[in-house]
Amino acid sequence: MAAGFTQPSFDAIELRVEPEYFSPNDDGIQDQTFFSPILHSQKDVTRWQLIVRKTTGKKIWKTTGAGFSALIKWDGRNNKGRVVPDGDYQGTIRVWGGGLKISSPERLLVIDTEPPEVYVAVSTTVLDNTLLDGDYLTFNPEFVDDSPIDRWQLQILDLTGRTVYVHWSTGPVQEIFWDGKDPSTGVLVPQGSYRCALQAWDMAGNESVPSFLDISVTLTAKEMLKQALEQISVHETSLGLIVPLDAAYLFDNNLKKPELTEQGKELLREVSLLVNAYPFADIRLDGYSYHGRMSSKDRHLSSLFAWRVYSFLVKQGNVKPSRLHVKGRGRHAMFDRRAVELEVIKNGVEVRLEGLEEW
């Protein structure tokens, strides 16, 4: 006998069940379960018998086989081919062989074909200026089911069906707090109506019907942004909202390859908040430069300025690239820009939120 190997002092068998909860309703999700016998013996098995009973002791299903089976499937039907009712069941396996006759302890399994019932309540259905004082919505989810809940989620959608917030969990039910912001941007969602949907999936694979409730946001982006925007200036014009960003604060002194300074990054974080507060506005990034003697060099440098800002807004500000229109203007603004009284920045980038004459 090899060193370190201990011969079992007795014969035993155990039975594993996976999954313990299943739903034989032909929906393609956990419609069956599998029994895995684990034999602790050196003796050969010549035949086996698996029996499933109600917890009351009534026999529901029996199957047999020769030799030893490592995996036995059950589709939740009795020996007459009918799906058995929902409830608790027990499985046990018995094996025979030369000098061998043992049974496993009973293992519990549950059939549940009923989906969870879900309910959700909220502290208030209106998000208003109390958010400025640190208030938030409190959602209270509730689940009713014969099986444990496997996972659940609360989703908040705008009227176009776009998800603005989602809380997903495999843990126990708990209160959910929402401050009205889109987590991807850190900005308050736009004014309007929103639909909240709570849904759950149980351990047997059943999916609930969603529970809905409607809320509304009345706080404006401007009211929220007043507290957040400390370094940038927002100008209301006939062409839209314009934010001038001076290159002296945005970039270092390397005119061949300008890089953002820490102050520049702080400025662009505020720009990101502003831009994301108006998710349907197109954004123009116009770069300007008046450094060299040749206008072609200024066009090149102004383009570098604008594309550096673009890169930050997309990569760190979570602004969608499709919203941004980038152009290095060199020394001269477009004709329509000259009609605005606001002076064009000489060196730097102008961010324009088009179509918004006020914020």
Side-chain angles (χ1 to χ4, degrees):
M1 184 179 298
F5 179 81
T6 303
Q7 180 74 25
S9 58
F10 60 90
D11 299 319
I13 189 170
E14 60 180 296
L15 187 63
R16 297 178 182 174
V17 184
E18 180 63 36
E20 295 181 0
Y21 295 83
F22 73 113
S23 52
N25 53 10
D26 295 326
D27 66 353
I29 302 174
Q30 289 183 219
D31 288 327
Q32 55 201 14
T33 191
F34 296 88
F35 297 95
S36 301
I38 308 297
L39 181 65
H40 303 282
S41 175
Q42 299 300 308
K43 299 173 183 176
D44 292 331
V45 174
T46 57
R47 61 189 179 95
W48 57 269
Q49 179 187 77
L50 176 68
I51 295 177
V52 176
R53 292 184 172 89
K54 286 286 291 181
T55 52
T56 59
K58 181 181 178 181
K59 187 186 297 183
I60 297 297
W61 181 67
K62 181 179 76 172
T63 185
T64 60
F68 183 76
S69 180
L71 193 66
I72 305 164
K73 181 178 73 173
W74 185 40
D75 60 4
R77 299 177 185 272
N78 60 24
N79 288 114
K80 294 181 180 180
R82 298 172 183 166
V83 176
V84 302
D86 287 7
D88 296 345
Y89 295 84
Q90 293 174 331
T92 184
I93 191 167
R94 180 178 297 176
V95 297
W96 294 267
L100 186 68
K101 183 180 179 182
I102 52 177
S103 298
S104 71
E106 292 179 328
R107 283 299 306 269
L108 180 69
L109 60 150
V110 178
I111 290 180
D112 177 14
T113 58
E114 292 296 321
E117 296 180 14
V118 300
Y119 308 93
V120 61
V122 66
S123 55
T124 178
T125 58
V126 179
L127 272 170
D128 54 23
N129 56 13
T130 57
L131 281 176
L132 300 176
D133 299 322
D135 202 0
Y136 43 76
L137 291 185
T138 303
F139 293 94
N140 291 283
E142 181 183 353
F143 309 116
V144 178
D145 195 23
D146 291 334
S147 299
I149 297 299
D150 180 51
R151 63 193 189 278
W152 57 278
Q153 73 171 23
L154 177 73
Q155 195 173 13
I156 302 177
L157 307 99
D158 64 18
L159 293 182
T160 68
R162 184 178 72 93
T163 299
V164 299
Y165 176 81
V166 63
H167 179 95
W168 185 89
S169 177
T170 58
V173 60
Q174 60 185 16
E175 290 183 331
I176 303 166
F177 305 102
W178 186 49
D179 59 4
K181 295 179 181 178
D182 184 333
S184 66
T185 63
V187 176
L188 179 74
V189 298
Q191 281 183 301
S193 298
Y194 293 83
R195 171 149 288 191
C196 309
L198 177 69
Q199 201 164 11
W201 295 259
D202 65 21
M203 295 289 287
N206 300 301
E207 178 181 347
S208 75
V209 175
S211 176
F212 296 104
L213 63 83
D214 294 326
I215 61 173
S216 60
V217 176
T218 61
L219 183 67
T220 66
K222 184 175 183 179
E223 289 174 311
M224 188 275 291
L225 291 171
K226 277 182 179 179
Q227 294 188 342
L229 305 185
E230 299 178 347
Q231 300 188 53
I232 64 173
S233 298
V234 183
H235 301 269
E236 298 176 345
T237 77
S238 59
L239 297 179
L241 302 181
I242 293 180
V243 180
L245 301 170
D246 196 317
Y249 303 114
L250 277 180
F251 305 107
D252 58 18
N253 295 321
N254 186 350
L255 297 183
K256 292 185 177 180
K257 190 178 180 182
E259 299 293 342
L260 289 170
T261 63
E262 289 304 314
Q263 183 179 2
K265 293 175 183 178
E266 287 300 320
L267 291 170
L268 292 182
R269 289 189 185 98
E270 291 193 5
V271 170
S272 300
L273 289 176
L274 176 66
V275 168
N276 285 320
Y278 299 94
F280 302 109
D282 283 337
I283 312 300
R284 280 178 56 171
L285 303 177
D286 289 333
Y288 294 98
S289 172
Y290 206 110
H291 282 89
R293 295 181 179 180
M294 298 177 60
S295 60
S296 60
K297 290 185 177 181
D298 280 324
R299 280 196 300 272
H300 174 70
L301 184 57
S302 67
S303 180
L304 288 179
F305 287 165
W307 282 106
R308 288 288 188 273
V309 171
Y310 169 93
S311 179
F312 184 95
L313 295 182
V314 171
K315 294 179 180 179
Q316 299 188 47
N318 291 310
V319 178
K320 292 182 178 179
S322 59
R323 299 180 58 200
L324 301 174
H325 307 278
V326 184
K327 185 70 175 180
R329 300 291 178 189
R331 303 176 181 181
H332 306 292
M334 291 289 288
F335 180 78
D336 62 345
R337 176 62 180 84
R338 299 172 197 171
V340 176
E341 290 186 4
L342 178 67
E343 184 178 354
V344 178
I345 194 166
K346 194 171 184 179
N347 289 291
V349 178
E350 277 192 356
V351 180
R352 185 197 304 180
L353 286 72
E354 296 190 310
L356 298 173
E357 295 187 12
E358 59 181 29
W359 62 309

